[in-house]
């Protein structure tokens, strides 16, 4: 009998050890996370629809989870399909919907003359950053982050972050508009060039980088003049109520994250259609479109002088081309 008790105890301790290796046993769920959810829900920044449905609370393992998860199959009130269902907390979902409305769709219309019809993105996953056992938990563990790998337009053409970041002029312009628009809404935005883990996707989250939750991390630094603010290219999509920070309680936090680690999301198949700028300007979308090989709007010099400029590439990347493979993976892509 005692042998059985000892054997059971040993197995229990072994299992606990494995759990401790998978998640950081010293990490705790910060109070600001639940407070941010409660504020978002009380202000009804996310509305339930047939495409956005509430689910049961996710509590664990460890500090992972969220009070009120939302299962999302489509964004933009059903106008944009998701390649895979997302699970997000209220704050991240509200900002993602607003980002789609005031930046992504206007940018698609500006550079391609048509809207985005589908997005390939990742969301909730209880794991450490960079899929490392025992690492600090990723913001994905709290439904507080989104990774976008590609956009499909209405005509079926696809803009991937991996290929489009240094792709055609239209692709580069579109993705940079999307990137800078995200920097206005999320506290963390990481795109190709920020580090080796973000060579194929744009990561956005609402992590706290200072006690008040006001500091933002937007990398890499890029040299680009946004077009969406130009006359004739202004978005007609309304912005939602401004997100208010929860009470100051959060530690400084930085996300350096690989959404899927070494597991490919899908097998290689037929090459996708590459997005190109339209042969003829779409009505109103190109009224302030840039001339070929230039992303500067037609505006007086004084106006251009006041436009924000961003430096690219980030420090440390000046002489090094962007790697299209993750460390240790050879030539195979990861998603």
């Amino acid at each position: 009998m005692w042998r059985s008790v000892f054997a059971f105890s040993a197995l229990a301790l072994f299992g606990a050890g494995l759990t401790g290796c998978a998640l950081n046993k010293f990490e705790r769920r910060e109070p600001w996370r639940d407070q941010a959810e409660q504020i978002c829900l009380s202000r009804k920044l996310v509305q339930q629809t047939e495409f956005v449905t509430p689910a049961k609370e996710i509590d664990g393992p460890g500090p992972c989870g969220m009070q009120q998860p939302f299962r999302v199959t489509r964004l933009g009130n059903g106008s944009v399909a998701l390649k895979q269902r997302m699970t997000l907390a209220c704050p991240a979902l509200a900002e993602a919907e607003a980002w789609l409305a005031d930046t992504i769709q206007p940018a698609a219309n500006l550079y391609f003359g048509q809207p985005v019809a589908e997005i390939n993105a990742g969301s909730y996953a209880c794991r450490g950053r960079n899929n490392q056992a025992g690492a600090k938990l990723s913001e994905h563990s709290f439904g507080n982050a989104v990774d976008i790998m590609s956009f499909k337009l209405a005509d079926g053409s696809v803009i991937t972050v991996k290929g489009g970041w240094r792709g055609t002029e239209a692709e580069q312009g579109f993705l940079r508009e999307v990137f800078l628009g995200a920097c206005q809404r999320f506290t963390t935005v990481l795109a190709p060039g920020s580090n080796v883990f973000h060579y194929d996707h744009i990561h956005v989250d609402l992590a706290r980088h200072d006690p008040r939750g006001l500091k933002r991390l937007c990398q890499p630094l890029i040299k680009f003049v946004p077009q969406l603010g130009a006359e004739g290219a202004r978005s007609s999509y309304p912005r939602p109520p401004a997100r208010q920070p929860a009470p100051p309680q959060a530690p400084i936090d930085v996300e350096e994250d690989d959404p899927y680690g070494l597991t490919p999301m899908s097998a290689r198949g037929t090459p996708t259609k590459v997005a190109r700028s339209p042969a003829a300007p779409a009505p109103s979308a190109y009224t302030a479109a840039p001339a070929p090989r230039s992303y500067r709007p037609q505006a007086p010099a004084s106006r251009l002088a006041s436009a924000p400029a961003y430096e690219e590439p980030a420090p440390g990347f000046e002489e090094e081309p962007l790697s299209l493979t993750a460390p240790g993976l050879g030539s195979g892509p990861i998603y």
Side-chain angles (χ1 to χ4, degrees):
M1 177 179 178
W2 286 108
R3 289 182 179 179
S4 299
V5 172
F6 288 142
F8 179 80
S9 300
L11 288 173
L13 289 173
F14 178 72
L18 288 179
T19 302
C21 289
L23 297 176
N24 190 333
K25 62 183 179 180
F26 298 107
E27 190 166 353
R28 298 292 181 266
R29 184 179 178 85
E30 299 95 332
W32 67 264
R33 297 188 182 279
D34 291 340
Q35 293 167 0
E37 272 197 81
Q38 291 165 5
I39 291 172
C40 181
L41 292 168
S42 66
R43 294 180 178 175
K44 299 181 179 180
L45 298 184
V46 170
Q47 298 294 326
Q48 180 179 345
T49 69
E50 59 180 307
F51 314 110
V52 179
T53 56
K56 293 182 179 179
E57 177 184 2
I58 299 177
D59 186 11
C64 290
M66 60 203 90
Q67 293 179 322
Q68 178 57 81
F70 286 93
R71 309 291 191 192
V72 187
T73 58
R74 284 178 171 267
L75 294 171
N77 198 28
S79 63
V80 178
L82 293 174
K83 192 170 184 179
Q84 54 191 339
R85 185 183 68 181
M86 294 198 302
T87 300
L88 291 171
C90 183
L93 177 54
E95 296 295 351
E97 287 276 22
W99 181 32
L100 172 68
D102 67 24
T103 301
I104 296 175
Q105 292 293 34
N109 284 314
L110 175 64
Y111 289 92
F112 304 109
Q114 57 184 308
V116 169
E118 182 184 82
I119 293 176
N120 182 16
S123 57
Y124 174 73
C126 181
R127 58 175 176 77
R129 293 178 185 174
N130 308 323
N131 288 288
Q132 298 299 308
K136 185 175 178 62
L137 288 175
S138 165
E139 288 299 309
H140 290 285
S141 301
F142 308 101
N144 203 35
V146 176
D147 290 319
I148 292 188
M149 283 69 75
S150 65
F151 302 88
K152 180 184 287 187
L153 301 178
D155 69 352
S157 57
V158 175
I159 306 104
T160 65
V161 174
K162 176 181 176 180
W165 191 259
R166 294 185 177 177
T168 66
E169 291 184 36
E171 289 174 328
Q172 289 191 44
F174 168 73
L175 290 175
R176 279 155 178 75
E177 297 280 5
V178 168
F179 169 74
L180 294 178
C183 293
Q184 300 302 314
R185 288 201 167 275
F186 296 90
T187 56
T188 311
V189 183
L190 300 172
S194 59
N195 57 47
V196 295
F197 298 108
H198 294 83
Y199 73 100
D200 66 348
H201 68 282
I202 297 176
H203 170 95
V204 299
D205 70 44
L206 293 172
R208 293 293 186 86
H209 302 299
D210 65 278
R212 296 187 62 194
L214 300 178
K215 184 178 178 181
R216 295 173 185 266
L217 175 67
C218 186
Q219 295 181 354
L221 299 177
I222 65 174
K223 188 175 182 180
F224 178 72
V225 179
Q227 294 291 292
L228 289 183
E231 184 180 355
R234 190 178 302 278
S235 168
S236 60
Y237 296 86
R239 292 177 67 92
R243 180 178 60 85
Q244 298 296 322
Q249 295 189 26
I252 294 177
D253 188 17
V254 174
E255 177 84 12
E256 292 183 358
D257 186 55
D258 171 12
Y260 297 104
L262 306 182
T263 304
M265 189 177 66
S266 59
R268 295 180 181 178
T270 304
T272 55
K273 180 180 177 183
V274 177
R276 304 288 181 183
S277 57
S284 77
Y286 277 85
T287 53
R293 305 205 62 79
S294 174
Y295 289 108
R296 294 185 179 275
Q298 301 300 321
S302 59
R303 181 178 178 181
L304 293 178
S306 62
Y310 303 84
E311 296 299 326
E312 182 182 22
F317 287 84
E318 292 82 354
E319 303 298 333
E320 179 182 354
L322 180 64
S323 172
L324 296 182
T325 59
L329 292 183
S331 59
I334 63 170
Y335 295 93

